[in-house]
Amino acid sequence: MSLVDVKDLTVEFGSVRAVDKLSLRLEPGAALALVGESGSGKSTVAAALLGLHRGTGAWVGGSVEVAGIDVERATDEELRRLRGGRAAMVFQDPLSSLDPYYAVGDQIAEVYRVHTRVSRRAARARAVDVLDRVGIPDAVRRSRSRPHEFSGGMRQRVLIAMALACEPDLLIADEPTTALDVTVQAQILDLLHTLREETGMGLLLVTHDVGVAAESVDEVLVMRHGRAVEHGPVGAVLGAPREAYTCDLLAAVPRVDATRTAGREATEKAAGKAGDKAGENVGEGLGEKVGEELGEELGGRVGEDLGEVVLEATGLRREFGRGKTAFTAVDDVSLTIRRGETLGVVGESGSGKTTLGRMLVGLLEPTAGEVRHDGHARVGVHPAVQMVFQDPVASLNPRRSVGESIADPLRARGERDEQRIRGRVTELLARVGLEGAHYDRYPHEFSGGQRQRVGIARALAADPRVIVCDEPVSALDVTTQAQVVALLGELQRELGLALVFVAHDLAVVRQVSDRVAVMRRGRIVETGPADEVYDSPQHPYTKQLLAAVPALDPEVAARRRAARRELAAPDGT
C-alpha cells in the first residue's frame, strides 16, 4: 500500500482553482519533491494531505489517502491522530510555527504527550532525545531555551525535532530552507537525508528551489497553475526535461559556475519570460523590455572603467551589548563603491553583512569608523543612500496603501503638494512595472515579487545614488527572482545607480556583481572581481561556501553530501 495516494485532487478557494485534478503516489521510505513557482499550488497540495483545508471554506474534490487514512472522510479525531502522529509537517517559517513564550523542549513534549499519553517526565526526555538527534548541541540545556534564543537554522532543526517526536511515517517539508544561507541549508538537507536513512520515513518536499530538490529526493513533480506538468525520477526530469515549462524553470536557475558573460543569454531569456508573466498582470511589453535591458546591463559594464566614488566606508566596527555580553557584529570593514557598479556581499547568517548594510544606509551608527557619501562624512539616514529590505511584507505598513508608503521619502524632504506627490508616485509605480492605479491598493493585494517592486519604488523616491539591497530576492521563486534582478539592472543602467547587493545566494550574487566581498564573523576575508573570486577562491571559507551551493545534478549532490558527512565525522577533522 502506498504511503500517499492522491487521485484527481482539486482545491478551490471561491472562484480560484488552486489545484486542478492532480494525482501522485509516494511509497514508504521514498522522497518526492513538488517544484514550481509561487502560486503553482504546491503548498495547497501539502496542506490537503493533512486535511488542513477543513473548516476554511475551501472546496476539496478527489481522493487523498495518507498512511491508509482517507483524509476527506476521516473524523476530526482521526485527523488529529494523523497530524503529528503518522504524518508531520515542517513549515517554512519556524518563528511563526513556534510559541515565543514557551521553551522549545516543552513544546515538543506537548506534541508527544498528545499522541502517546505518557508522563511529563517521559515526554520531556523524548524532547531532549529528538533535539539531540537533529544536531542541537547540549540538548538538555537548550531544551529550556525559547525560540528567539536560536538561529534560523537551529529553529528549523527544532521544528524537525518536533515533527520526529512521534516517529511519523511521512514528513512533509514546506520550503524548509528558503531563508537559510547555503551552509545551513546544506546541513538541513543532509539532516533530512540522514533521518530518512535511519527511520525509513517518506518525505514530501515542497520547494521552488530546483537545486534543493536535486539534493534531496528520488522523484520530482513539476507543477504549474495547479496542474502536474512533468513527473519522473529526479535525474531524468532535471537532466533531460521533456516539457518546455520545465526547461524554462531550469533555465531561470542562476548557476554559480557560470561567468556573468557566459550566463547572459540564459539570464535574458529567464528575465524576459518572467517579465512577460508580469506583463500579463501589470502592462504589456515589460517582458521584452526587462530581458533586453538586463542583457545590456550585464554585458555592457564588463571591462569598462566605472565612475567616481559615491560611497566609502573606513574601519567600520559595530558592537552590540556591553561588558561580558558585548558582541562585535562588524569588525574593521573598509570598502569603496563607485557610480554604476554593483558590489556583492556574501556570507553566512551572522557574518555581519546585514549589519554592514544598515550602517552604510545610516540605520545603525558605527561604534567606530565612518561612512562617506560623495567625499563627505555622514551620520544618520541620508537620501543619497537608500535600502531595499529582505521582507517587503514587514517593511510595508499593512494599514497604509502602497502609494502612501512610496510617498514617505517625498514628504520627508519637504514636498507638500499632494497632486505633485501623487503624480511622482504614479511615475515610480510605472517605472518599476506596476500601474499608477495601484496607488490605493494595500500590500496584501500584491504578490511577493510585486511587493518587492513597491520597495524598490520607495527607495527610488528619494533620488538616491546608492541602493543597498538586503536579501531582495531570497524568498522569491526563480522566475520572479529573475524579474526583480532584471528590474534592478535596468534601473542601474538608466540612472547610474551604485548597488550593494547583500545576499546568501552565491549564484545570484555572481550574476549581478562586478565585485564581491566575502564576510565571515564580521570581517571581509576575501574581495575582488566577481569571476576571479568564484573561479579561483583563495580563502578556505570562500571555498567552503561555494562547495555548499546545491548542485542540479543528483550524482554530484550525492558526492558532495558524502564529502560533508566525512568532514563532519568525529575523526573527519
Side-chain angles (χ1 to χ4, degrees):
M1 181 179 68
S2 298
L3 177 60
V4 176
D5 191 356
V6 176
K7 296 178 181 176
D8 294 327
L9 174 65
T10 300
V11 182
E12 295 180 354
F13 299 95
S15 61
V16 177
R17 178 166 287 192
V19 180
D20 189 5
K21 294 183 179 180
L22 184 83
S23 299
L24 64 87
R25 283 189 176 185
L26 180 65
E27 303 304 322
L32 169 68
L34 300 183
V35 176
E37 299 170 277
S38 299
S40 61
K42 54 189 186 296
S43 291
T44 303
V45 174
L49 298 186
L50 296 180
L52 297 179
H53 299 308
R54 183 171 293 188
T56 65
W59 181 84
V60 180
S63 66
V64 177
E65 287 190 8
V66 177
I69 297 174
D70 187 327
V71 173
E72 288 307 305
R73 296 182 180 181
T75 64
D76 290 343
E77 178 60 30
E78 288 173 329
L79 275 184
R80 279 193 291 271
R81 289 199 299 269
L82 172 67
R83 298 167 182 165
R86 303 294 302 279
M89 193 164 186
V90 177
F91 293 92
Q92 176 176 349
D93 182 7
L95 270 182
S96 64
S97 304
L98 295 168
D99 193 316
Y101 294 103
Y102 292 94
V104 298
D106 292 340
Q107 296 185 56
I108 296 171
E110 181 182 1
V111 171
Y112 189 59
R113 290 192 73 207
V114 164
H115 291 279
T116 61
R117 307 295 182 183
V118 299
S119 67
R120 290 182 182 275
R121 176 176 293 182
R124 183 77 186 178
R126 177 60 176 167
V128 172
D129 179 58
V130 291
L131 284 171
D132 181 69
R133 191 175 191 176
V134 300
I136 301 290
D138 196 2
V140 174
R141 180 179 64 85
R142 295 310 303 272
S143 69
R144 297 189 288 270
S145 301
R146 288 171 173 76
H148 73 273
E149 299 178 78
F150 292 84
S151 67
M154 285 298 177
R155 282 194 292 264
Q156 200 62 281
R157 287 175 182 267
V158 169
L159 276 190
I160 294 173
M162 185 180 293
L164 292 175
C166 299
E167 298 184 346
D169 300 314
L170 171 66
L171 182 66
I172 303 169
D174 187 1
E175 301 280 10
T177 63
T178 294
L180 303 179
D181 60 61
V182 288
T183 51
V184 178
Q185 175 179 267
Q187 292 167 9
I188 295 298
L189 296 178
D190 290 349
L191 172 62
L192 291 174
H193 189 270
T194 299
L195 292 171
R196 278 184 57 214
E197 290 182 333
E198 293 177 352
T199 66
M201 69 179 182
L203 173 66
L204 182 77
L205 177 68
V206 176
T207 182
H208 66 253
D209 191 324
V210 182
V212 167
E215 291 266 348
S216 313
V217 300
D218 311 310
E219 295 188 359
V220 172
L221 191 156
V222 180
M223 292 188 66
R224 187 187 192 194
H225 300 325
R227 296 185 176 185
V229 174
E230 188 163 355
H231 184 190
V234 61
V237 172
L238 301 186
R242 300 188 308 273
E243 301 297 326
Y245 175 71
T246 309
C247 294
D248 292 341
L249 202 62
L250 289 170
V253 178
R255 308 299 175 102
V256 75
D257 57 350
T259 64
R260 295 183 69 198
T261 303
R264 191 194 319 168
E265 289 185 6
T267 304
E268 288 178 37
K269 181 179 179 182
K273 288 182 179 294
D276 287 338
K277 181 177 68 175
E280 295 171 5
N281 299 323
V282 300
E284 299 299 326
L286 177 64
E288 293 181 5
K289 184 178 182 182
V290 295
E292 292 170 1
E293 294 188 351
L294 177 65
E296 295 174 16
E297 161 61 21
L298 290 180
R301 290 203 324 271
V302 177
E304 290 184 2
D305 291 331
L306 296 168
E308 75 276 15
V309 173
V310 291
L311 182 64
E312 186 176 13
T314 305
L316 287 186
R317 179 182 178 88
R318 175 67 194 198
E319 297 176 356
F320 293 96
R322 294 180 179 179
K324 294 182 179 179
T325 62
F327 171 71
T328 302
V330 173
D331 187 9
D332 193 24
V333 168
S334 298
L335 52 83
T336 299
I337 301 157
R338 295 180 179 275
R339 182 179 184 274
E341 80 164 333
T342 299
L343 172 69
V345 182
V346 299
E348 295 173 284
S349 298
S351 63
K353 56 187 187 296
T354 292
T355 301
L356 172 62
R358 288 175 179 266
M359 284 193 290
L360 295 178
V361 174
L363 294 175
L364 284 176
E365 185 177 344
T367 305
E370 68 175 11
V371 176
R372 303 175 68 86
H373 306 163
D374 298 321
H376 303 286
R378 306 285 188 182
V379 177
V381 177
H382 190 275
V385 184
Q386 294 294 306
M387 195 165 201
V388 175
F389 296 91
Q390 175 178 357
D391 184 358
V393 176
S395 61
L396 294 171
N397 189 331
R399 297 180 180 178
R400 302 178 71 211
S401 72
V402 298
E404 289 300 300
S405 291
I406 295 171
D408 282 342
L410 300 175
R411 294 195 173 100
R413 66 184 188 187
E415 180 62 68
R416 294 292 179 266
D417 187 324
E418 290 300 318
Q419 186 172 353
R420 289 181 61 182
I421 289 174
R422 192 175 186 97
R424 176 59 176 154
V425 171
T426 298
E427 291 175 5
L428 289 168
L429 285 168
R431 190 66 194 80
V432 299
L434 298 174
E435 294 179 357
H438 290 159
Y439 186 108
D440 296 311
R441 292 189 183 182
Y442 289 84
H444 72 273
E445 299 180 74
F446 293 86
S447 68
Q450 289 174 323
R451 282 193 291 261
Q452 200 58 287
R453 288 173 176 270
V454 172
I456 295 170
R458 182 173 58 183
L460 291 175
D463 295 324
R465 303 196 70 189
V466 183
I467 295 181
V468 177
C469 303
D470 185 14
E471 300 280 7
V473 297
S474 64
L476 305 178
D477 61 62
V478 289
T479 49
T480 307
Q481 185 180 93
Q483 187 180 2
V484 172
V485 168
L487 174 61
L488 289 170
E490 175 192 346
L491 293 170
Q492 183 177 44
R493 182 183 66 83
E494 293 192 1
L495 304 177
L497 293 170
L499 298 179
V500 180
F501 199 94
V502 178
H504 64 253
D505 189 325
L506 276 77
V508 172
V509 170
R510 180 169 192 173
Q511 181 187 84
V512 303
S513 302
D514 299 292
R515 293 184 296 120
V516 172
V518 182
M519 289 193 70
R520 186 190 190 198
R521 298 176 182 173
R523 288 179 172 267
I524 293 178
V525 298
E526 185 166 357
T527 186
D531 287 344
E532 289 184 15
V533 172
Y534 278 77
D535 291 337
S536 302
Q538 301 301 306
H539 197 278
Y541 177 69
T542 309
K543 296 176 182 178
Q544 177 188 339
L545 284 179
L546 291 170
V549 176
L552 288 178
D553 185 334
E555 293 184 3
V556 174
R559 290 197 297 270
R560 289 183 177 180
R561 182 167 54 244
R564 290 193 297 265
R565 182 178 298 180
E566 184 176 341
L567 286 173
D571 59 350
T573 56

